[in-house]
Amino acid sequence: MEDKSNIYKLMTIITEAAVENEVLNDLVKLGAKGYTSVDARGLGHHGVRSAAWGMSANVRIEVMDTEENVRKMAAAMKERYYRNYAMLIFLHDVEVVPHDDLDGVWD
Amino acid sequence: MEDKSNIYKLMTIITEAAVENEVLNDLVKLGAKGYTSVDARGLGHHGVRSAAWGMSANVRIEVMDTEENVRKMAAAMKERYYRNYAMLIFLHDVEVVPHDDLDGVWD
Amino acid sequence: MEDKSNIYKLMTIITEAAVENEVLNDLVKLGAKGYTSVDARGLGHHGVRSAAWGMSANVRIEVMDTEENVRKMAAAMKERYYRNYAMLIFLHDVEVVPHDDLDGVWD
Amino acid sequence: MIDPIILFFILGLLAGLLRSELKLPPAIYELLSILLLLAIGLKGGVELAKQPFLELLPQMLAVLVMGFTLPILVYPVLLYVGRFKRADAASIAAHYGSVSVGTFAVAVSYLAARNIFYEPHMPVFVVLLEMPAILVGILLAKGISRDTRWGLVAHEVLLGKGIVLLAGGLIIGWIVGPEGITSIKPLFIDLFKGVLALFLLEMGIITAGQMGSLKRYGLFLVAFGIITPVIFGMIGALLGMFFGMSEGGMTIMATLAASASYIAVPAAMRLSVPEANPSLSLTASLGITFPFNIVLGVPLYHTYAQYLLSLA
Amino acid sequence: MIDPIILFFILGLLAGLLRSELKLPPAIYELLSILLLLAIGLKGGVELAKQPFLELLPQMLAVLVMGFTLPILVYPVLLYVGRFKRADAASIAAHYGSVSVGTFAVAVSYLAARNIFYEPHMPVFVVLLEMPAILVGILLAKGISRDTRWGLVAHEVLLGKGIVLLAGGLIIGWIVGPEGITSIKPLFIDLFKGVLALFLLEMGIITAGQMGSLKRYGLFLVAFGIITPVIFGMIGALLGMFFGMSEGGMTIMATLAASASYIAVPAAMRLSVPEANPSLSLTASLGITFPFNIVLGVPLYHTYAQYLLSLA
Amino acid sequence: MIDPIILFFILGLLAGLLRSELKLPPAIYELLSILLLLAIGLKGGVELAKQPFLELLPQMLAVLVMGFTLPILVYPVLLYVGRFKRADAASIAAHYGSVSVGTFAVAVSYLAARNIFYEPHMPVFVVLLEMPAILVGILLAKGISRDTRWGLVAHEVLLGKGIVLLAGGLIIGWIVGPEGITSIKPLFIDLFKGVLALFLLEMGIITAGQMGSLKRYGLFLVAFGIITPVIFGMIGALLGMFFGMSEGGMTIMATLAASASYIAVPAAMRLSVPEANPSLSLTASLGITFPFNIVLGVPLYHTYAQYLLSLA
Ligand SMILES: Nc1ncnc2c1ncn2[C@@H]1O[C@H](COP(=O)(O)O)[C@@H](O)[C@H]1O
Ligand SMILES: Nc1ncnc2c1ncn2[C@@H]1O[C@H](COP(=O)(O)O)[C@@H](O)[C@H]1O
Ligand SMILES: Nc1ncnc2c1ncn2[C@@H]1O[C@H](COP(=O)(O)O)[C@@H](O)[C@H]1O
Ligand code: NA
Ligand code: NA
Ligand code: NA
């Protein structure tokens, strides 16, 4: 039932709202054709991030793309942000419901 | 460790907030027993959707159901909304922690 | 391409905002090193939860950890909250982009 | 003379019942309720500053006793007539023993519009009444069980948003007094009625949502949601008369007794009596008693006060 | 004399164009527009209470006819000159047949700053004008198709946020009258201009975002977005003159005709004419006509009124 | 006489420290800070309109020089006494070279409550002081490195929310003058103190959150967060005296010098000096210096001004 050709990688990036614009710009420069952002709060190695105000807010960003592109973006994110920013990235496969007239639009 | 009988499909729909109610109504008509919505913003083939005001806001909807039901709903969504609305749908498997007393409640 | 050693479980808990603090405290007591929360609304066996005000709001919590830890937490959540609260939990595998200098930090 | 704020409530109610897309963002609902709680606290505190605190002690004690008693009065009715489960009966009882700040604000506005004086320390009673019913509710549900995490309960009750803002406002108003409040008056006092109007608009929408569950729970709940305030209102008015309060003061005492909580108590019950169905108690307090009180109840409690005074 | 609210709009526009990080949270945008809609409705309702309603009926009918006619006037231009697809032409036409409450508020503030009287029942016309253009737009796009879910359309149109708040405010103002409104005046009336200033700040930011699409759609849309209000404004002013309105009344009639919707109509078109590209109509109404109207249009429509009256 | 706004801060602080569930939604925090920034800008702009701009130039230059100098004064202390990493020392220095608009607002309110005059163009200095410390901080952290994306820094600094609203408000106030501002006064001027009270309530909660990190960073940071404003305050007061300012003006100059940024600078440092630990600088500026300044600092700086003037 599952159509292998529609399997893409979804990358989820949870990071500081302070760098949301930077991260999104980078992703687009790296070739992302889309992304989705949601306001978030959390806990991690950088402590509690309660979102009570700008500097303590998180954002949860999703990017869906081919595995190759996603890995390229993930590596770039890791290099640029992991050391100095609160950031967690994880990947998993998703089956995308395709636009028939936009075949291969995410390749 | 994983219990195959608890594997369901999770469908994630990212679309315009302007049609949230329509989409949710359709899903329930198609048999969805539940959904979860979250406010979102994003970028896609329909350009930047910044959520600064109603018409540019996105919503991120999740529906968990059996694979069969989810595929039926995904097909209906695609047919009804993909052509004219900003919408992205993707699916993946999740292992649901079941209500013991509600066995088979999502079938 | 996928590095098996970076595969962790992601647990998603959708529940009443009224118990967010309780749930998060429990998770940390059970050993969670992090979590991410997002405001949500939804429909389920407990009816429509529209988030119009505090008592009807949902929250969507994610916890990433080893499969073992996640299963332990999921079981505890189920035991403590499933009977009396609106709550849905599901799990799936994610490949985490690791901190090289923090190797094994999530184990 | 009809108060515009009631019309805002009805507008919200109609919009909700007709499934209009109108809604206020949750953050705005929060802002409005924060402003109301602070304003009520501040006003009360400023008045407290003017009078000897000690003289109030007997009244405060009596009000506390009322808070402990009211839930005990309705609990058996809910259990034996309503045939609710123990936890549900206890939880509903707690809602009706406590108070609704929104209803209190409507009563205050009703009296102000008619230039009727009331004892200005009433907000103190609002703070006092928030708490005892919660304790009684938990005890009714669980007995003196070792399970109950009383630390958590105390924290929830004493440090909930409502108490912190009401009591905080009271204390600030009490410290700075009438002069000190002048600079913040435009936001907290002058805008009060407008903020209350917007708040009631949203409460109308929320109430409409709650009314959906009415038919599920049947006639008993409707009857209970109307009869209880009608009776409790008389108890409150009598207590007010006992303390020699004015017509306005008795009206407010009646309103406090008659109103049912929909903020502090449901939150506390959710944590401490989780097996109680929150939809049941909210349908009663929010879907029936709240609209009844602000539209019909407050004027009724006013006639209680007038009637009792005419007897005296 | 320059109105500060226009400067707030320009500040937002510049901030947006220069990609400043400044933005208002969506919940605040909601709050501001709710306050504006209620305030406009309330003010109009209070005035309505003062005059015989029946006398207004002919004017109300004429305004409705205008609402049905305006979109039909521009539709062929969009279709044949602009070479837009049928759905797009119909949708844009609907936007221009309807009204922008923000533009109306700016015109009201413009007249108030100059102490120019205007007939106070104008908010009634705003409510009336919101709707007909939507129906015409759907008919132009689809014909009398069986597909159209008119129930849904009616629901969307009659129970949209804008209508509910405007009409709700009108009715509340009408019921309680000038006296009754006093207590909520500080929020809804006194803060009006400040709220409008903040709203326009945000509208400037949103407009800047919309202007990004300008170059994509080319010169025709820019020309259309400026010429249409210039012509429609004259139609509105003439209609006002026909009914013997004052200078201020004619200015507002012109502004109503000249303004293009960016809230109710886009939402309705998105559901009922989904094949229309919303970015096209919003670029025109929000990216061109809105800034044109509030900066240059309103003063222009004022000169229309003065000129026409000088002829009479 | 105690200012109610300080009590709001203390209420928030206590609520936060006692882990009350009280919190303001992020959208409301945004709204409050937008209102404060615009109000401060508008008030300053209106006053600027009354006086010859050129006469201010020398003072403005001196203030800029102060903004460049203050961070350089504390940097070696942080590096050699505090033994912080270079990036952290530079970032903290930048915070203390810049200003806190909230602290400024408290000082203004302090003077207003005592009817003490101050030079009304102070908001211009707030704008001027926001920026230089950021540049110095980056240079201290990185030297004149090719890495630094100065375009991005300039964008961040000049188009950050704070500057856009403050400077925008200033210019609007300057253009429309005292008359023009009347219509928007109810929102921006009359509500100012109330808005500030709510803002400080939330700042109390945020500060409480930041205090959790206090013990982690130890005594040096606490001492630094108190001693720096005490010394910088004197520098500011002296500069004010040098320019022949009034008692109120000197108090504000002292407050500006003594206050530490917690909005513009942390955001800029986060992007430009990412290796600096933001928790360190925020704990100092927000967890120590901010509460110190608004509770004890402002009155202290007032005595500085009185003392210096008594010497003259
Ligand atoms: N184990 C985890 N599970 C879920 N979310 C996490 C986890 N660890 C970190 N996060 C999220 O990622 C953000 C940054 O993580 P960190 O860099 O570890 O502080 C946190 O504020 C959380 O929102
Ligand atoms: N590649 C992608 N990755 C993540 N989210 C996407 C992607 N493409 C689209 N989206 C989301 O789906 C919405 C609608 O997509 P579209 O129809 O392509 O404009 C966008 O506004 C994004 O929020
Ligand atoms: N089938 C489902 N798909 C997606 N979300 C669901 C589903 N069922 C429940 N939820 C979410 O989980 C919350 C609690 O579920 P319940 O306990 O079933 O009422 C709901 O309010 C929804 O947000
Ligand atoms: Na009661
Ligand atoms: Na029009
Ligand atoms: Na400073």
Side-chain angles (χ1 to χ4, degrees), chain D residues 12-236:
Chain D
L13 197 64
L14 288 177
L17 292 175
L18 296 171
R19 302 190 176 285
S20 157
E21 53 151 50
L22 176 65
K23 58 175 184 239
L24 268 71
I28 302 309
Y29 174 82
E30 277 295 297
L31 172 64
L32 297 173
S33 63
I34 288 171
L35 285 173
L36 287 182
L37 289 163
L38 280 174
I40 291 171
L42 284 168
K43 267 200 273 190
V46 165
E47 296 300 333
L48 268 189
K50 297 185 194 155
Q51 60 185 173
F53 188 71
L54 275 184
E55 280 178 16
L56 287 181
L57 269 186
Q59 295 189 25
M60 289 168 64
L61 260 175
V63 161
L64 274 180
V65 171
M66 181 173 90
F68 281 108
T69 314
L70 293 181
I72 298 176
L73 292 180
V74 283
Y75 178 65
V77 179
L78 290 157
L79 205 60
Y80 300 117
V81 187
R83 297 186 174 283
F84 288 118
K85 288 189 307 182
R86 178 170 174 186
D88 286 324
S91 167
I92 300 176
H95 283 69
Y96 281 82
S98 183
V99 284
S100 143
V101 177
T103 313
F104 170 74
V106 169
V108 163
S109 146
Y110 172 93
L111 295 176
R114 283 158 188 78
N115 286 312
I116 301 175
F117 167 84
Y118 61 92
E119 284 69 16
H121 51 263
M122 289 295 162
V124 182
F125 297 168
V126 179
V127 175
L128 290 179
L129 279 173
E130 284 242 351
M131 296 178 266
I134 294 176
L135 305 183
V136 175
I138 296 174
L139 285 174
L140 288 175
K142 308 200 153 186
I144 307 187
S145 141
R146 254 183 296 172
D147 263 25
T148 309
R149 294 144 76 199
W150 288 107
L152 188 74
V153 173
H155 187 273
E156 176 72 15
V157 168
L158 292 172
L159 290 167
K161 193 186 69 177
I163 292 292
V164 169
L165 290 172
L166 270 177
L170 263 174
I171 295 171
I172 293 178
W174 188 71
I175 294 180
V176 303
E179 305 278 276
I181 223 84
T182 336
S183 62
I184 57 175
K185 230 179 120 296
L187 178 61
F188 292 105
I189 311 296
D190 300 351
L191 294 191
F192 184 76
K193 274 287 279 268
V195 167
L196 183 57
L198 273 188
F199 179 78
L200 290 174
L201 179 71
E202 172 69 4
M203 287 307 299
I205 301 173
I206 293 176
T207 299
Q210 218 61 46
M211 283 181 163
S213 339
L214 265 188
K215 48 182 169 298
R216 207 184 330 147
Y217 298 127
L219 214 66
F220 173 81
L221 209 63
V222 178
F224 178 85
I226 292 175
I227 296 174
T228 309
V230 167
I231 297 175
F232 277 17
M234 184 52 83
I235 298 181

Side-chain angles (χ1 to χ4, degrees), chain A residues 14 19 34 53 63 65 72 74 76 79 88 96 104 106:
Chain A
I14 303 163
V19 288
W53 63 305
V63 183
D65 213 313
K72 203 181 61 190
E79 194 190 319
L88 171 66
V96 174
W106 288 293

Side-chain angles (χ1 to χ4, degrees), chain B:
Chain B
M1 246 177 163
E2 193 163 283
D3 184 346
K4 279 291 170 204
S5 66
N6 290 324
I7 302 295
Y8 293 84
K9 274 279 176 213
L10 185 76
M11 165 167 65
T12 305
I13 306 174
I14 303 163
T15 190
E16 307 178 18
V19 288
E20 177 176 3
N21 284 340
E22 289 276 294
V23 166
L24 296 179
N25 285 341
D26 286 358
L27 289 171
V28 169
K29 271 185 216 142
L30 290 162
K33 280 138 232 117
Y35 54 74
T36 300
S37 293
V38 157
D39 292 326
R41 49 197 180 276
L43 169 78
H45 302 111
H46 293 82
V48 176
R49 302 190 47 78
S50 68
W53 63 305
M55 289 299 292
S56 77
N58 277 352
V59 66
R60 183 184 187 280
I61 300 169
E62 289 173 314
V63 183
M64 183 273 297
D65 214 313
T66 60
E67 165 147 17
E68 198 191 325
N69 288 347
V70 160
R71 290 202 180 278
K72 203 181 61 190
M73 296 186 229
M77 289 292 116
K78 174 175 175 172
E79 194 190 318
R80 171 131 191 236
Y81 296 101
Y82 252 43
R83 172 174 300 282
N84 290 319
Y85 293 95
M87 182 178 277
L88 171 66
I89 303 179
F90 51 80
L91 319 176
H92 64 93
D93 285 337
V94 293
E95 177 192 346
V96 174
V97 174
H99 282 259
D100 295 330
D101 49 337
L102 297 173
D103 244 2
V105 83
W106 288 292
D107 294 300

